[in-house]
Amino acid sequence: MQTIVIYKSKYGSTKAYAEKIAEALGCQAVDAKSIKAKELESYDTIIYGGGLYAEIIGGVSLITKNFDMLSGKKLAVFTTGLTPTDCREYYDGMVVSKNFKPHMLEKVRIFNFPGKMIINELSAVHRAAIKTLKKIMSSKENPTEMEALLIKLCDADGDFTDFDAINELIDYVAE
Ligand SMILES: Cc1cc2nc3c(=O)[nH]c(=O)nc-3n(C[C@H](O)[C@H](O)[C@H](O)COP(=O)(O)O)c2cc1C
């Protein structure tokens, strides 16, 4: 059984999870930059991880654009992000609809892990994006629950990584 973990990570949070998962499964964790879709053909189980940026799972098109070629394999995708993972409206609604086509959901299992955001480590562009988002959301007179949560998340500054969260994914791969 050939298994691979692939990740795209800007600030290291997704990479850290990918390495833990690979260690637990006894396989390699590979940066998405250094793998071509064609190379995935030789694996039976593919685990892809990406950080969430404006609801998009970084680099997940490696999986979704090659879905037909990969659909006979065991597929898992994990996200890292700041939105609390019990906010299922966000993950099962917005994140799923922005990243996957409905037919893909029968073939891929999706997991959501808590990520990290250290404001001082962000690029100038990302820092500005967070500031702008907060300003726009805060200017709304009657923010929805989701908008209120977003405003709060713009002030998040810390590492919320929880490696215990990977256990469910490990169990799924072992099934
Ligand atoms: C510009 C920007 C946009 C982000 N958008 C989201 C988002 O839509 N949802 C979310 O849960 N987290 C969001 N985050 C938080 C990141 O997903 C989180 O920091 C993640 O752990 C980053 O992964 P990485 O360290 O592997 O790049 C955002 C962070 C930045 C800087």
Side-chain angles (χ1 to χ4, degrees):
M1 218 8 208
Q2 285 273 79
T3 302
I4 188 168
V5 184
I6 306 159
Y7 62 86
K8 181 162 180 186
S9 182
K10 171 116 177 111
Y11 299 105
S13 159
T14 313
K15 181 179 185 211
Y17 278 109
E19 286 173 347
K20 278 279 175 199
I21 293 164
E23 191 187 316
L25 295 173
C27 69
Q28 262 193 305
V30 178
D31 192 322
K33 277 190 280 208
S34 49
I35 194 149
K36 300 253 176 314
K38 190 101 189 80
E39 293 171 63
L40 299 180
E41 274 180 348
S42 58
Y43 293 92
D44 311 297
T45 301
I46 297 168
I47 300 153
Y48 183 89
L52 283 171
Y53 290 92
E55 283 90 51
I56 300 298
I57 306 167
V60 77
S61 60
L62 177 69
I63 303 298
T64 53
K65 285 217 169 117
N66 297 293
F67 207 79
D68 288 346
M69 188 255 280
L70 302 176
S71 65
K73 301 176 185 295
K74 190 161 203 173
L75 292 177
V77 168
F78 71 88
T79 67
T80 66
L82 289 181
T83 309
T85 53
D86 60 1
C87 192
R88 299 317 309 170
E89 182 192 343
Y90 176 77
Y91 288 103
D92 300 337
M94 291 165 85
V95 173
V96 162
S97 66
K98 281 200 181 180
N99 292 277
F100 300 97
K101 298 219 165 82
H103 74 276
M104 297 176 177
L105 301 174
E106 291 160 26
K107 303 260 168 97
V108 61
R109 267 284 290 272
I110 304 159
F111 299 84
N112 311 112
F113 303 150
K116 86 169 176 185
M117 183 164 82
I118 311 291
I119 298 290
N120 283 340
E121 291 176 3
L122 293 183
S123 68
V125 171
H126 276 172
R127 218 173 306 153
I130 297 285
K131 217 170 152 184
T132 307
L133 180 67
K134 188 177 174 191
K135 206 168 156 188
I136 294 168
M137 292 297 158
S138 306
S139 70
K140 303 208 173 200
E141 250 179 50
N142 293 306
T144 61
E145 217 175 294
M146 192 56 78
E147 286 163 350
L149 176 64
L150 262 178
I151 297 168
K152 215 172 109 196
L153 293 178
C154 287
D155 287 327
D157 187 4
D159 188 346
F160 309 98
T161 303
D162 172 13
F163 289 127
D164 286 343
I166 70 171
N167 292 336
E168 209 189 337
L169 187 155
I170 304 297
D171 289 347
Y172 167 68
V173 170
E175 262 170 29

